Amino acid sequence: MFQGPLQESILKRAQERGLVEIGVHDLRAWTHDRHRTADDAPYGGGAGMVMKPEPVFEAVEALSRGPDSTVVVLSAQGAPFTQRRAEALAARPHLLLVCGRYEGLDDRIPAGLGALELSIGDYVLTGGEVPAMVLLDAVIRLIPGVLGDASSAESDSFATGLLEHPHYTRPPVYRGLAVPEVLLSGDHQAVARWRRKEALRRTRARRPDLLLQALLTEQDRRLLAEIDDEEHSPRGDG
C-alpha cells in the first residue's frame, strides 16, 4: 500500500536526497506461531478481530532509537491531527507509526508504549495505513530542504492559523473571469495587504472556528472591519 505514495513526487525526492528515511515493516515478522497471527478475537465477544499486543510491542522495541523515538498510533479514537501537530512531529528525529487494522488495537498497546494517538478525521477507515500516509506527507514536507521554496510551507493554509489566500496564474482573463487587478499592479505592499485580507475573508466564510484561535493583529482587525463593511453595504443596480 505504501509503495505508490512513497515513490512519487516530493516524498520520493526527499528520500533520494537523504533528507528522510522511511521504512515499512510487517508486524507478522514479530509473531511466533506458525500461522504468523497478529490478531485475535476480542475478549467479551463481539464482531471483528483485535490486533494482538505482542507483535506490536516487540516491533516497536526492535525499531526504537530510545529517547529519539516518538511512537504514534493512528486511531479513530486519537486526538485530531493538525498542522501544529505536524510541525511538532517534523522536529522529532525518529517517528514510529503504528497502523491499526480490523476492530483496532489491544488497548494495552498505546498505553504501554506511551504512544501519541492521532486521528485524521471523524470517520472510519479499514486501517491505519492511509492515515499514516497522510501524516507522512504532512510532516515530511516541513523538513528543511524538502520543498524547493521554504516559504511555500510557511504560507500554506493552517500554517498561519488561517486558510490561505486565493491563487491565480496566467492568463489574466479566462472565459470572462479576470484575475484581481491588484495582483497585476506590481505593487508588492498592496499585493501583501490583499492576500492577507482575502485569507481573512475566506477563513471567516469557510472556517470561522479558526478565527477564534488565530492570533490576529490590529491590522487584521481593521481588515476584518473592511470586509464586514463591504459585505453589508448596499449595492447599486449598476
Side-chain angles (χ1 to χ4, degrees), residues 29-59:
W30 285 275
T31 57
H32 303 289
D33 64 307
R34 65 176 183 169
H35 299 295
R36 303 177 72 201
T37 307
D39 62 319
D40 208 336
Y43 278 127
M49 303 291 279
V50 177
M51 298 291 292
K52 292 166 62 66
E54 304 101 305
V56 180
F57 271 81
E58 292 184 27

Side-chain angles (χ1 to χ4, degrees), residues 6-221:
L6 298 185
Q7 294 304 315
E8 297 292 338
S9 188
I10 290 172
L11 296 189
K12 178 182 180 181
R13 292 196 294 271
Q15 294 173 83
E16 291 175 341
R17 294 165 60 192
L19 298 172
V20 64
E21 179 183 347
I22 305 172
V24 180
H25 306 276
D26 186 351
L27 286 173
R28 294 184 186 275
W30 285 275
T31 57
H32 303 289
D33 64 307
R34 65 176 183 169
H35 299 295
R36 303 177 72 201
T37 307
D39 62 319
D40 208 336
Y43 278 127
M49 303 291 279
V50 177
M51 298 291 292
K52 292 166 62 66
E54 304 101 305
V56 180
F57 271 81
E58 292 184 27
V60 169
E61 289 164 356
L63 299 169
S64 176
R65 298 178 186 173
D68 283 344
S69 296
T70 300
V71 182
V72 178
V73 169
L74 285 308
S75 166
Q77 301 175 46
F81 179 57
T82 63
Q83 186 67 22
R84 295 292 171 262
R85 292 191 187 277
E87 292 166 0
L89 292 176
R92 297 290 299 166
H94 185 228
L95 303 179
L96 285 169
L97 309 183
V98 180
C99 304
R101 269 265 159 183
Y102 316 115
E103 281 300 300
L105 300 168
D106 184 300
D107 245 60
R108 290 168 291 186
I109 292 170
L113 295 174
L116 173 63
E117 289 189 84
L118 293 177
S119 167
I120 64 166
D122 294 339
Y123 42 84
V124 179
L125 300 172
T126 55
E129 292 86 357
V130 171
M133 295 175 204
V134 169
L135 188 147
L136 282 171
D137 194 285
V139 168
I140 290 172
R141 66 190 302 280
L142 297 175
I143 295 173
V146 169
L147 296 181
D149 184 352
S151 63
S152 295
E154 294 171 2
S155 62
D156 283 337
S157 290
F158 306 110
T160 63
L162 303 175
L163 298 184
E164 199 172 2
H165 58 77
H167 291 275
Y168 299 90
T169 188
R170 296 178 179 85
V173 179
Y174 181 69
R175 297 192 178 187
L177 301 172
V179 172
E181 291 185 11
V182 65
L183 298 180
L184 310 176
S185 68
D187 185 334
H188 299 297
Q189 186 173 354
V191 168
R193 187 180 190 280
W194 179 89
R195 285 176 171 169
R196 185 64 178 180
K197 184 175 180 179
E198 295 309 306
L200 289 163
R201 189 194 306 274
R202 178 166 286 184
T203 302
R204 193 176 76 162
R206 300 183 183 183
R207 290 291 306 275
D209 56 300
L210 294 178
L211 281 181
L212 299 177
Q213 307 170 38
L215 297 176
L216 301 179
T217 66
E218 284 303 314
Q219 172 70 358
D220 290 335
R221 298 185 191 284

